Amino acid sequence: MEPTKKTVLVVDDDLDYLTQMQMQLEADNFKVITAESQAEAEQLLQDLRPDLAIVDLMMENMDGGFVLCYRIKKKDPTIPVIMVTAVSSETGIEFSNAAEEEKSWLKADALLTKPIRYEQLKREIENLMGA
Amino acid sequence: MKNLKILICDDEFGMRMAVARALADFTIHVPDVEGQVHFDISEAGSGEDALAMLANDPVDILLLDHKLPGISGLDVLADVAEKYKDTLTIMITAYASLETAITATKRGAYDFLAKPFTPDELKAAIRKSAIHLTLQRQARKLAEEKRQVRFQLISVVAHELKAPLGAIEGYLYLLRDKPLGADINAYDKAVARSIERLTGMRKLITDLLDLTRIESGQKKRELAEVDAREIVKTAIDTVQPDADARRIAITLHADAPIKINADPGELEIVCNNLLTNAVKYNKDDGRVDVMLTDTADRLTIEVKDTGIGMKPEDVQRLFGDFVRIKTKETRLIPGSGLGLSILKKISQLYHGDVNVASEYGVGTTFAVMLRKLPLPPVNETEKGTL
């Protein structure tokens, strides 16, 4: 029998990014659940405890990703969250979770900047899941 | 409108006094500019003083005596013309000779006052300069605003093209690396989405070309008497397959042909836009009613759908370039965000307008009004030019 697949929740308002992410992750034997908005993700989270979440920072409400990360951590602080952002390439604003101060309010375990290479994302996932 | 600054440079104290007094309460009204223009006067007794004062605080108008004790008026003029492009110089001269006039004009003087002059002559010269200055600055400001709008448009277009390119690129990498194995069917969605995004890009580029052609006026408009009803019928035929697929019924309410002087291409763009929107944003099993109202001086094309409708705050934003109302209902409906701005611009070519009435969840009615304009006379000299 196949071992139980790990579940990854991917939240992004870009349908193509979601589709591509899903294909890549499924190829790596993850069970993938997608949501296109903060609201949809919160709905799913009522009955779902993913093994990891990948959340885009800026969705239809500018801070949707922040709020969602906070809610996921509040629900279960052991769920690793990777925050993904195109903020730098869209606005030129640089930020990271390297500084202690930013870590304290950025409720994510890793922060990746779009465009993301899948290999890079996979490394982060393996790191965080201890696989 | 802020005050204009005048510097009077003359070695005769009496002359400076007279000019300052004549202009003290003088105001003018510049066409197309709100409010009155007042003047702040300062004085210099020599060319050297004038240049020193200008270096500190450049003025709008310089009244410059030709014959000065030190550095000559013509030399001051040359210096001012080179350094202060925004300053207009009016030369004051006792020798109103043609020769002085030519030299001064060559060196950049805007106007002349021949001594002795009356206060009215002085005021007339100042008025002329002030109007010139104000209109010139206004034109410059408009040109700058236009430049900004163009930059903004370019940056939005670049962004709108970059997003689908990124998506397609991602799908192509998937097809190259085949993480889901060699079976091509596993990548159906990647191919289907790529085609959708490419179609969107093509539509965006076509709309952009339409828009720039209309805005630049480069497209030669071919106005002729056309039957608007026929053009509407063709537009209905074009969207019919999409409508049928979702069981949307389109009905045209027009009993007779409608003659209007129009560019058939423009009218087609208007009708296609209206009908495409009415189908795209409709609900399955919905209706589209097209009403044509023909009066002596105008044609109104009204397209009413039973679609998803819009909230009042969204209706307000609707006609801007690249505005797409993003809601959960419109999320998957493709569009360039340019259709309605094109519609609005075309209607303006006919001194008409576009009205929209919408109720969220119930439907939207767009009404495009076009005025019936006489055909322009055929101009022989314009033939063969763009």
Side-chain angles (χ1 to χ4, degrees):
Chain A
M1 205 186 119
E2 211 182 332
T4 329
K5 287 182 179 178
K6 299 270 190 190
T7 304
V8 177
L9 171 68
V10 189
V11 191
D12 199 299
D13 62 350
D14 178 344
L15 179 65
D16 293 301
Y17 169 86
L18 270 188
T19 310
Q20 290 167 14
M21 211 51 118
Q22 180 162 22
M23 286 177 141
Q24 300 266 28
L25 288 167
E26 281 176 357
D28 274 321
N29 227 12
F30 288 105
K31 183 179 175 198
V32 180
I33 294 177
T34 61
E36 286 186 53
S37 66
Q38 178 197 344
E40 196 186 337
E42 281 177 13
Q43 186 75 36
L44 286 169
L45 282 165
Q46 289 180 359
D47 317 295
L48 173 80
R49 192 210 166 275
D51 297 293
L52 182 132
I54 302 170
V55 177
D56 186 58
L57 184 60
M58 283 214 274
M59 289 180 287
E60 72 274 40
N61 336 329
M62 295 304 266
D63 57 354
F66 277 116
V67 177
L68 186 60
C69 288
Y70 179 79
R71 299 253 161 92
I72 294 171
K73 286 291 186 189
K74 205 175 159 197
K75 178 186 165 83
D76 184 345
T78 64
I79 300 176
V81 176
I82 298 176
M83 201 184 262
V84 168
T85 169
V87 157
S88 307
S89 63
E90 305 264 316
T91 65
I93 302 167
E94 292 286 340
F95 72 113
S96 69
N97 68 343
E100 276 309 311
E101 187 205 1
E102 281 165 340
K103 233 180 225 164
S104 67
W105 55 263
L106 206 61
K107 298 288 176 200
D109 300 279
L111 181 76
L112 294 179
T113 306
K114 278 186 181 176
I116 298 164
R117 282 179 304 113
Y118 179 69
E119 290 310 310
Q120 184 193 1
L121 178 72
K122 202 179 151 188
R123 254 201 320 273
E124 286 293 347
I125 293 175
E126 282 165 357
N127 267 342
L128 292 170
M129 289 218 222
Chain B
M1 178 74 211
K2 72 178 181 58
N3 292 358
L4 289 178
K5 282 186 264 185
I6 299 179
L7 174 63
I8 157 80
C9 174
D10 198 306
D11 55 328
E12 286 175 50
F13 177 72
M15 177 57 97
R16 300 202 301 269
M17 284 288 292
V19 168
R21 201 177 323 123
L23 297 178
D25 298 318
F26 182 53
T27 64
I28 63 162
H29 178 76
V30 182
D32 301 326
V33 173
E34 293 228 345
Q36 298 285 314
V37 178
H38 296 259
F39 300 95
D40 297 329
I41 320 283
S42 51
E43 300 171 28
S46 70
E48 289 82 353
D49 282 358
L51 288 176
M53 288 171 75
L54 286 174
N56 265 331
D57 186 14
V59 298
D60 300 296
I61 299 170
L62 173 65
L63 277 164
L64 179 62
D65 190 18
H66 173 242
K67 196 168 174 298
L68 291 166
I71 175 175
S72 82
L74 282 178
D75 289 338
V76 174
L77 171 65
D79 209 40
V80 169
E82 192 196 316
K83 284 189 194 147
Y84 309 105
K85 307 274 184 226
D86 281 344
T87 302
L88 283 188
T89 305
I90 302 172
M91 286 299 278
I92 303 173
T93 169
Y95 326 96
S97 70
L98 193 60
E99 201 187 332
T100 326
I102 290 169
T103 316
T105 309
K106 272 187 187 159
R107 295 200 186 177
Y110 173 72
D111 203 1
F112 281 93
L113 269 175
K115 272 185 193 173
F117 50 81
T118 66
D120 282 344
E121 285 168 336
L122 171 68
K123 286 176 183 173
I126 294 290
R127 174 181 288 117
K128 188 174 140 196
S129 299
I131 289 176
H132 176 83
L133 214 56
T134 320
L135 294 183
Q136 188 189 40
R137 284 174 189 173
Q138 210 172 24
R140 217 180 291 161
K141 200 176 127 204
L142 271 177
E144 176 56 23
E145 277 169 12
K146 254 186 158 164
R147 219 169 60 98
Q148 288 302 329
V149 168
R150 204 158 53 226
F151 278 140
Q152 229 169 34
L153 185 75
I154 290 171
S155 118
V156 176
V157 169
H159 184 89
E160 292 290 319
L161 289 173
K162 199 176 138 209
L165 266 186
I168 295 162
E169 198 180 13
Y171 287 124
L172 281 175
Y173 283 135
L174 279 169
L175 288 167
R176 183 192 66 186
D177 300 337
K178 301 184 191 63
L180 298 173
D183 181 8
I184 189 73
N185 295 321
Y187 304 97
D188 280 355
K189 192 165 182 196
V191 175
R193 279 298 298 171
S194 295
I195 292 172
E196 266 173 55
R197 298 304 305 254
L198 279 172
T199 311
M201 278 176 89
R202 181 189 301 280
K203 172 85 175 112
L204 171 65
I205 291 168
T206 321
D207 282 356
L208 210 55
L209 286 174
D210 279 346
L211 190 68
T212 48
R213 271 202 297 264
I214 296 162
E215 280 198 332
S216 67
Q218 265 172 16
K219 181 174 168 255
K220 196 171 164 63
R221 299 184 66 207
E222 286 177 9
L223 294 173
E225 190 179 84
V226 296
D227 180 358
R229 191 175 63 158
E230 278 312 307
I231 292 177
V232 172
K233 277 183 182 167
T234 312
I236 293 177
D237 288 343
T238 311
V239 297
Q240 197 70 58
D242 288 334
D244 289 345
R246 295 173 53 210
R247 297 172 309 278
I248 295 166
I250 306 178
T251 315
L252 172 63
H253 307 265
D255 312 322
I258 295 172
K259 300 284 181 220
I260 181 168
N261 296 328
D263 178 313
E266 289 166 4
L267 212 50
E268 277 164 28
I269 294 175
V270 168
C271 297
N272 284 336
N273 255 311
L274 287 172
L275 279 150
T276 312
N277 279 345
V279 172
K280 256 196 328 195
Y281 298 103
N282 219 316
K283 296 172 185 159
D284 291 353
D285 302 297
R287 289 185 52 81
V288 175
D289 287 280
V290 186
M291 278 79 63
L292 299 183
T293 315
D294 185 25
T295 66
D297 69 334
R298 63 182 67 183
L299 159 70
T300 308
I301 308 168
E302 222 174 319
V303 178
K304 182 174 195 255
D305 68 53
T306 54
I308 55 180
M310 284 170 286
K311 293 174 179 160
E313 61 267 29
D314 290 335
V315 173
Q316 286 189 353
R317 300 168 39 225
L318 206 53
F319 288 95
D321 288 346
F322 292 108
V323 170
R324 295 207 65 219
I325 308 304
K326 268 195 178 174
T327 63
K328 61 179 191 300
E329 292 92 353
T330 64
R331 198 173 49 79
L332 290 175
I333 301 173
S336 67
L338 287 174
L340 288 177
S341 29
I342 292 173
L343 209 62
K344 183 125 200 160
K345 268 154 199 153
I346 291 180
S347 74
Q348 282 163 355
L349 291 176
Y350 294 84
H351 306 283
D353 56 25
V354 184
N355 280 301
V356 53
S358 191
E359 195 177 334
Y360 183 66
V362 176
T364 303
T365 304
F366 280 99
V368 176
M369 187 274 280
L370 306 175
R371 282 188 202 281
K372 293 185 173 174
L373 305 171
L375 285 178
V378 179
N379 188 338
E380 289 298 321
T381 57
E382 272 183 18
K383 274 191 175 170
T385 59
L386 274 176

